[in-house]
Amino acid sequence: MEIQVLQWFEGSGIYAVLISILLNIIISVFGVIPSVFITSANIAYFGFRNGLLMSILGEAVGAIISFYLYRKGINKVKTKISIKNKYLIRLQQTKGMKAFLLILALRIFPYIPSGIVTLVSAGSKVGIWNFSIASTVGKIPALFIEAYSIQQILEWTLQGKIILGILSIFLLVFLMFKIVSKG
């Protein structure tokens, strides 16, 4: 997918910035698609610093738009979100500075998907300004680590990429066996 995005960037000139932001918005609204391929394309096309800034901007705008859309949808449907994570449950019942700090922490914490944090925040009492600032600031460290890792992989030799690919396959197989053995 990264190659396709790079081709779009190259063919669109100055509009590559808008395409990057639009793709991040779409990914944020869907909530389950990883954005790593856009971050990767941003780093490859815009360079590390500008690519990282593009990813931060795109993910921030995407989270804010998703929050707004999710909140509208939740208010229309008036359904309760079934949550099992204690931090997400606390977020759903929190507002003000406590909600701000909790969103900030959840954005930094890598094991909770971004879309779930946005959805739970939209169903909580937190305001859009608190959410926007906490979400954006919280995404910066995670995106920096992601962008730095991507840059290192892009600079690797073919041999390093093959080793990473083999390790990834072993990890996927291991995880699949773990999931199957539980079921």
Side-chain angles (χ1 to χ4, degrees):
M1 188 68 183
E2 172 199 345
I3 294 169
Q4 180 65 48
V5 174
L6 273 172
Q7 289 174 346
W8 291 343
F9 287 174
E10 290 167 359
S12 61
I14 191 145
Y15 296 110
V17 170
L18 296 175
I19 291 172
S20 175
I21 293 170
L22 182 62
L23 288 174
N24 267 304
I25 291 169
I26 292 167
I27 285 173
S28 291
V29 169
F30 280 107
V32 293
I33 304 168
S35 64
V36 69
F37 68 90
I38 294 176
T39 303
S40 181
N42 283 342
I43 299 300
Y45 185 76
F46 297 108
F48 180 78
R49 186 175 50 109
N50 291 334
L52 176 59
L53 290 173
M54 286 302 309
S55 292
I56 291 168
L57 178 64
E59 290 209 19
V61 171
I64 293 165
I65 290 172
S66 296
F67 176 87
Y68 176 77
L69 292 174
Y70 293 173
R71 180 157 280 175
K72 268 184 113 42
I74 288 170
N75 287 338
K76 278 190 177 188
V77 179
K78 302 277 189 216
T79 61
K80 296 277 184 185
I81 302 168
S82 176
I83 301 169
K84 295 179 175 65
N85 182 290
K86 66 181 179 178
Y87 300 109
L88 293 174
I89 292 169
R90 193 171 353 162
L91 172 59
Q92 194 174 32
Q93 301 164 349
T94 307
K95 63 182 177 180
M97 185 54 83
K98 285 184 179 181
F100 177 89
L101 294 172
L102 197 51
I103 292 167
L104 182 69
L106 289 170
R107 286 291 192 220
I108 293 171
F109 191 66
Y111 301 109
I112 299 179
S114 184
I116 292 178
V117 175
T118 303
L119 180 63
V120 173
S121 297
S124 75
K125 299 172 185 173
V126 69
I128 193 161
W129 287 109
N130 272 349
F131 171 80
S132 300
I133 295 167
S135 179
T136 301
V137 171
K139 282 178 176 281
I140 291 172
L143 277 170
F144 180 81
I145 292 168
E146 184 178 299
Y148 182 76
S149 301
I150 289 167
Q151 181 186 20
Q152 294 306 307
I153 291 170
L154 290 173
E155 292 177 356
W156 272 8
T157 63
L158 177 61
Q159 182 180 11
K161 290 178 183 179
I162 290 171
I163 291 169
L164 179 65
I166 291 170
L167 288 173
S168 297
I169 291 169
F170 279 122
L171 179 63
L172 284 173
V173 169
F174 173 77
L175 289 173
M176 289 184 68
F177 277 120
K178 200 122 171 105
I179 291 169
V180 170
S181 67
K182 283 186 178 182

